[in-house]
Amino acid sequence: MVEIELDGQKVEVPEGSMVMHAAEKAGTFIPHFCYHKKLSIAANCRMCLVDVEKAPKPMPACATPVTQGMVVRTRSDKAVKAQQAVMEFLLINHPLDCPICDQGGECQLQDLAVGYGGSSSRYTEEKRVVMPKEVSPLVSMAEMTRCIHCTRCVRFGQEIAGQMELGMINRGEHSEITTFLNETIDSELSGNMIDLCPVGALTSKPFRYSARTWELSRRKSVSPHDSTGANLIVQVKGNKVMRVLPYENEEVNECWLADRDRFSYEALNSDERLTAPMIKQGGQWKVVDWQTALEYVANGLKQIQSEHGAQAIGALGSAHSTAEELYLLAQLVRGLGSDNVDHRLRHADFTTGEGARWLGMPIAGLSTLQGALVVGSFLRKDHPLFAARLRQAARHGARIHALHAVEDDWLMPIASRITVAPSGWLQALADIAAAVAAEKGVTAPVAGQATEAAVAVARSLLSGERKAVLLGNAAAQHPQASALLAVAGWIAEQTGASVGYLGEAANSVGAQLVGALPQQGGLNAAQMLSQSLKAYLLLNVEPELDAADPNAALAALQGAEMVVALSAFRTRAVEYADVLLPIAPFSETSGTFVNAEGRAQSFYGVVKPLGEARPAWKVLRVLGSMLGLQGFDFETSEEVKARALGDLAQLPARLSNRCDVAVQPAAAPGGIERIAEVPIYSTDPIVRRARSLQLTRDARPPVAGLPAALWERLGLKDGEPVRLVQGKAVALLPARLEPGLPANCVRVPAGHPATSGLGAMFGAIEVTKA
C-alpha cells in the first residue's frame, strides 16, 4: 500500500493506483469527463487537473500514479484555475443546445460548467459543426457537434462490448467520433454508450424529444428477459414507461444493460396490447367483462374435468413470468387433479434432477474465471451481459474454450473451438472426459477418445484455480441435455471446476423452484403439445414461436376443445384460443424473478395496468377461488411469494446441478441436422413487439446458413431461396454460406414467424434449391 496526503487527509491505496482512485477512496470529488471506473484511462479531457507538490504544472488525477508521501491539492488556486481554463476550452465549440438537448438536466458538462465555467465567453469566432450521422435505430448521432472527445464510447466498444465500432478521425478542431467507413452500430450492448456520454452527443433514438428528465419519476425494477436479472431504473411520465436505465448492482449487471433490457419498453405502450377480456362466440371475438370471462373459463374447465377427467387439462407457462404467477398456475392445475404443467417449451429432454438447475457459481465470478468450457451457447446473443463478463476474464488471460455446432464470433480471445453437429456434442464431451481421465489416471464415465482438441481443453481445465463448465441454451434444449450435464458434471468434478447452466429466461430457476413442471407423473411440455389435450391454459406463451416443435404445437392447440390464453398482447392465439385474458407485463405487476445464480429479486409495478389488464397472479387467484380450490386466499403478491418460494435463505440449498443418468452416446442420425438458435430479439413476447429493436441488424428476417459442401452441391448464390422440409412442414428462406458449419448441418433460426411452420429445433431437415 502507498500512503499519500490528499487535501490534508492521509489516504492509503494499492501501489499502481492513480490519484483519482485515492480521491474516490477519500470521498473527494475531482471534476472529470473522460475517466470512468470501468474503462481504461485515456486522460483526454484534462478536466481532472490537480496540484501535485513539486510538480511544475497541474497533473491529470486520472493518469498520475501515486507515490509514497505524495502531497496532492484538488482545491488549491493552481488546481481550480487549471480546471476553469480547461472548462473554457471545452465550451469554445460546444453549441448552446441546452434548451432542446435530451441530456439537459442530467448532463455532466452542464453540472461542471456551473462550478467551473465563466459567465460569458471570450470566443467570438464561428463554432465548428459536425455533420449528423445515421448509424443505428437505437443510438442517435444527430448532434455530434456537442461531442467533447472524451472517447468513452470508443473505449466501451473496444473493452466491454468487444467490437470497436466507433473511433476518432482527423486532428485538432476537425477531430470527430464516427463509425468506420460509414458502417452502423450493431452491438447488442450499444445503448450503454448513451449512458457513458457525458454530454448530449449520443442520445437514445426511441426516447428522443419525448420528455425532460425532471418530468420523469424513477422506479426500480428487474429485467424480464434473460437469466442475468439485470436491475433497472424505469422512468415514468403520466402512467407511461418513457425510458429504462441500468440500476447499478456490481453482483448482477454492474452498471450495464443489454439493448434488449433497455429498449424493449416500447412494446409496453404498443398498439398490440390486449386491453380487455375477449371470448370467441360463433367464430367471432367479442369483448366481455372480467366476471363473464372468468365464469366462462371456470365452467369450461369444470365441464372438461367431469367429461374427460382432469388429465385432459394442461398448463404451459413462460419462464419470463414471475414466480408468483407460475406457482399459482401450477396450483390451479393440481387443484383440478392434473399434473400437466410445464415451462420448458423449447426442451427435448425432460429429465429432472435433485434440485433446480442453475449457474453453479455467482454471476460476478464469471469476470474472474481463469478457464471456462462453454457448451452449446450462442453466447453473445443469448446472454450479452454474461458474455461481457467472460470477455473481461479473457482480457485478463482466462482461457475460454467453445464446444458448439457454429463458429460465431464471441468478440473475445478463444483458446480453442470444437465444432461438431449437435448429435456429436455428447461424444465430444466424452472425448474431453477421456482426456481428463488419462491425465489424472482415473476411469472416464463414458467411452471417448483423447483427441488433440480434447487434450487441450482437459489440460486447460486442470490448470489454474477458478474454472467453470457452462452449458448454454442449446445444451439445455438438446435431446441429450441430461447426458450432457452428467458428463460436464464429471469433468467439472475431476478438474475442480463448477458446472452450471447459463439459464434461458429471467425466471428459469424460479419456475423450477415453484414446481411449474410435472411432479407426479404428469405430461411434460412436449407430450402436451404432441397429443392434443381437451383444455390448455397458456400463460405468457406463444406456442407457435416458443415451442421446440411449433408445427406440432399448433396442431395440438387447434384440436383442443378450450384454449385459454393469458397474455399481455394480441397474439396469434386469436386463431386457436377461445378466451383471451389481458394480463399485465412486468411493468404493471409486482412479482419475483430468480436469476441464474439463484438470487430472488422482487419488484413492484411501476405504472397502473393498461385498460382492463390485470396482474396474472390476481387473475389466477380469482379463477382458483371460482373453481372452489383450496389455497387461493391471497391478498398480496408477497403472500404468494412466501408460499411459493418459502424461506429465501434456504434457496441455495434447493439448487443442484447433480445429474446421475446412464450416458450412452447416440448414433448420429443420417441426413442433415438442424441447428436452431432463437434470435436475440425474438426470445419473448415483449421484445418481439419493441419497434426499435425490430429495426436492428439482429432482427433481420432469418436466413438458412449452409456449409460449404452443401452450398456447392446445390449450386447456390448468396441470397438465393432454399426449400426447407421437416416432415410435412415447409419453409422458404434465403440461403447464406457459413463455411464454419459442420458438413451435415443447416442453421435455421427458431422463434420467428418465417420459420414457425417448421418442426423440431434439433430435428432432421431436408434442404433443396427452391
Side-chain angles (χ1 to χ4, degrees):
M1 299 291 278
V2 174
E3 186 178 80
I4 71 165
E5 186 184 305
L6 185 89
D7 292 340
Q9 180 185 351
K10 299 282 188 201
V11 186
E12 267 197 2
V13 286
E15 200 173 338
S17 299
M18 302 295 159
V19 172
M20 185 70 88
H21 300 139
E24 281 179 345
K25 187 172 182 187
T28 301
F29 176 72
I30 298 176
H32 60 273
F33 292 112
C34 69
Y35 170 78
H36 190 277
K37 63 183 178 183
K38 294 283 180 186
L39 303 176
S40 62
I41 288 163
N44 292 2
C45 71
R46 318 307 280 185
M47 191 65 216
C48 63
L49 292 175
V50 291
D51 179 6
V52 179
E53 198 171 80
K54 295 182 184 169
K57 58 184 181 181
M59 305 291 283
C62 69
T64 303
V66 294
T67 56
Q68 186 64 37
M70 177 189 262
V71 178
V72 180
R73 300 180 189 87
T74 67
R75 298 192 189 95
S76 67
D77 278 355
K78 186 177 177 182
V80 171
K81 277 182 180 163
Q83 290 161 358
Q84 288 172 338
V86 171
M87 177 55 74
E88 182 179 25
F89 177 67
L90 286 173
L91 292 176
I92 278 176
N93 273 314
H94 197 79
L96 267 174
D97 279 353
C98 300
I100 57 116
C101 178
D102 261 349
Q103 196 88 341
E106 51 186 10
C107 171
Q108 264 180 275
L109 188 66
Q110 251 182 357
D111 294 345
L112 294 181
V114 172
Y116 301 90
S119 55
S120 60
S121 174
R122 296 184 283 174
Y123 189 72
T124 55
E125 289 77 13
E126 278 187 23
K127 294 193 177 227
R128 74 178 194 135
V129 174
V130 178
M131 298 310 290
K133 301 165 186 72
E134 187 61 47
V135 294
S136 162
L138 307 175
V139 181
S140 170
M141 289 181 81
E143 283 96 9
M144 289 305 288
T145 304
R146 301 171 186 162
C147 177
I148 60 168
H149 305 146
C150 69
T151 68
R152 278 184 179 185
C153 55
V154 178
R155 285 174 285 144
F156 170 80
Q158 223 174 347
E159 297 162 20
I160 308 297
Q163 52 191 145
M164 191 172 165
E165 294 180 299
L166 292 174
M168 192 183 287
I169 58 169
N170 305 327
R171 299 183 70 181
E173 73 159 7
H174 301 295
S175 301
E176 60 177 284
I177 301 284
T178 184
T179 56
F180 296 108
L181 302 173
N182 297 320
E183 284 286 322
T184 50
I185 296 173
D186 298 307
S187 167
E188 59 280 358
L189 299 170
S190 66
N192 293 295
M193 295 177 184
I194 300 164
D195 294 341
L196 286 171
C197 185
V199 296
L202 299 176
T203 52
S204 165
K205 201 172 270 188
F207 175 70
R208 202 168 151 75
Y209 297 145
S210 59
R212 305 296 278 174
T213 180
W214 52 84
E215 301 173 316
L216 303 171
S217 313
R218 288 160 179 75
R219 288 151 197 182
K220 285 168 66 175
S221 191
V222 178
S223 169
H225 304 302
D226 65 29
S227 58
T228 312
N231 291 199
L232 313 177
I233 294 174
V234 183
Q235 300 194 333
V236 175
K237 178 185 174 185
N239 204 47
K240 186 178 175 184
V241 175
M242 303 299 289
R243 182 166 64 163
V244 171
L245 298 174
Y247 180 81
E248 191 168 337
N249 185 338
E250 277 301 312
E251 294 174 321
V252 181
N253 56 305
E254 301 175 89
C255 55
W256 313 124
L257 280 187
D259 290 351
R260 177 165 57 187
D261 306 323
R262 184 186 298 271
F263 296 108
S264 64
Y265 72 86
E266 282 188 296
L268 306 174
N269 310 316
S270 77
D271 297 336
E272 291 186 54
R273 281 294 302 274
L274 183 64
T275 54
M278 299 175 84
I279 293 176
K280 191 187 279 182
Q281 291 183 334
Q284 297 296 311
W285 282 102
K286 182 181 161 192
V287 174
V288 295
D289 58 45
W290 270 105
Q291 185 70 21
T292 307
L294 291 174
E295 281 176 1
Y296 182 90
V297 175
N299 292 334
L301 290 174
K302 281 178 186 169
Q303 190 177 339
I304 287 166
Q305 182 190 25
S306 64
E307 288 179 9
H308 304 283
Q311 294 307 313
I313 300 169
L316 294 164
S318 163
H320 297 282
S321 307
T322 66
E324 292 83 349
E325 293 164 358
L326 289 164
Y327 170 76
L328 289 174
L329 180 72
Q331 291 304 102
L332 183 78
V333 176
R334 292 196 175 106
L336 290 168
S338 170
D339 191 42
N340 305 335
V341 59
D342 211 343
H343 69 278
R344 302 164 294 176
L345 272 80
R346 291 200 176 104
H347 285 219
D349 178 354
F350 296 89
T351 310
T352 52
E354 296 172 6
R357 308 272 198 246
W358 66 301
L359 185 61
M361 63 186 296
I363 288 173
L366 293 172
S367 305
T368 59
L369 286 175
Q370 293 174 342
L373 169 61
V374 185
V375 182
S377 176
F378 299 92
L379 184 65
R380 263 180 63 204
K381 305 303 178 183
D382 287 346
H383 303 97
L385 293 175
F386 288 176
R389 283 192 181 272
L390 285 173
R391 194 171 293 122
Q392 295 313 303
R395 280 171 61 83
H396 292 111
R399 294 174 60 77
I400 311 290
H401 304 270
L403 166 54
H404 207 340
V406 297
E407 293 186 359
D408 289 349
D409 187 0
W410 289 354
L411 303 175
M412 66 179 87
I414 300 293
S416 72
R417 283 185 188 277
I418 299 175
T419 307
V420 290
S423 61
W425 291 356
L426 185 54
Q427 188 57 58
L429 265 186
D431 292 347
I432 296 169
V436 170
E439 293 285 324
K440 290 193 72 180
V442 295
T443 306
V446 58
Q449 289 181 312
T451 61
E452 195 178 325
V455 170
V457 177
R459 285 180 179 162
S460 175
L461 288 176
L462 284 163
S463 63
E465 292 173 3
R466 299 180 298 279
K467 299 157 290 192
V469 182
L470 301 168
L471 300 163
N473 291 3
Q477 295 155 1
H478 195 277
Q480 296 169 293
S482 53
L484 288 172
L485 177 60
V487 179
W490 186 88
I491 293 168
E493 193 179 322
Q494 294 297 321
T495 58
S498 65
V499 64
Y501 280 113
L502 291 167
E504 293 167 84
N507 210 16
S508 293
V509 177
Q512 298 171 74
L513 290 171
V514 300
L517 65 177
Q519 292 173 336
Q520 308 293 327
L523 301 179
N524 60 46
Q527 291 166 334
M528 280 189 256
L529 291 172
S530 58
Q531 55 189 73
S532 195
L533 300 178
K534 296 299 177 187
Y536 289 94
L537 289 167
L538 305 178
L539 173 63
N540 252 331
V541 294
E542 299 178 76
E544 65 279 3
L545 298 173
D546 294 334
D549 189 338
N551 197 40
L554 265 178
L557 292 166
Q558 284 160 350
E561 283 181 23
M562 184 164 96
V563 176
V564 182
L566 292 87
S567 173
F569 301 96
R570 277 193 292 274
T571 67
R572 225 180 124 185
V574 293
E575 296 172 18
Y576 52 76
D578 301 281
V579 188
L580 295 177
L581 301 179
I583 58 168
F586 80 103
S587 56
E588 298 166 16
T589 182
S590 53
T592 306
F593 292 136
V594 184
N595 71 0
E597 68 176 5
R599 179 187 296 257
Q601 300 186 108
S602 295
F603 55 92
Y604 294 103
V606 297
V607 290
K608 292 188 183 114
L610 191 65
E612 287 294 304
R614 294 291 177 265
W617 71 268
K618 289 188 177 180
V619 175
L620 291 164
R621 180 199 66 185
V622 174
L623 195 51
S625 299
M626 281 184 163
L627 288 161
L629 306 179
Q630 296 297 309
F632 281 82
D633 50 346
F634 300 105
E635 293 294 323
T636 64
S637 64
E638 280 85 358
E639 289 177 23
V640 187
K641 172 187 161 186
R643 182 83 57 86
L645 290 171
D647 181 3
L648 294 185
Q650 300 301 316
L651 283 193
R654 296 170 59 194
L655 306 173
S656 172
N657 291 321
R658 189 168 176 79
C659 185
D660 299 318
V661 297
V663 180
Q664 284 294 326
I672 297 170
E673 295 179 46
R674 178 181 175 186
I675 306 163
E677 86 261 41
V678 181
I680 185 170
Y681 302 135
S682 299
T683 49
D684 62 76
I686 295 178
V687 289
R688 288 176 196 137
R689 290 163 179 83
R691 190 177 54 82
S692 296
L693 290 178
Q694 294 306 321
L695 296 173
T696 60
R697 175 178 284 187
D698 279 325
R700 285 179 185 169
V703 297
L706 274 66
L710 182 59
W711 183 270
E712 285 169 23
R713 194 166 83 232
L714 296 177
L716 292 167
K717 295 189 183 74
D718 201 38
E720 257 190 297
V722 288
R723 187 168 183 268
L724 305 161
V725 182
Q726 283 189 293
K728 295 176 184 174
V730 181
L732 284 178
L733 288 186
R736 180 179 65 202
L737 175 63
E738 282 201 43
L741 284 181
N744 60 332
C745 290
V746 173
R747 184 174 183 168
V748 183
H752 192 281
T755 57
S756 63
L758 287 172
M761 290 172 69
F762 285 93
I765 190 166
E766 295 171 35
V767 187
T768 52
K769 193 171 178 178

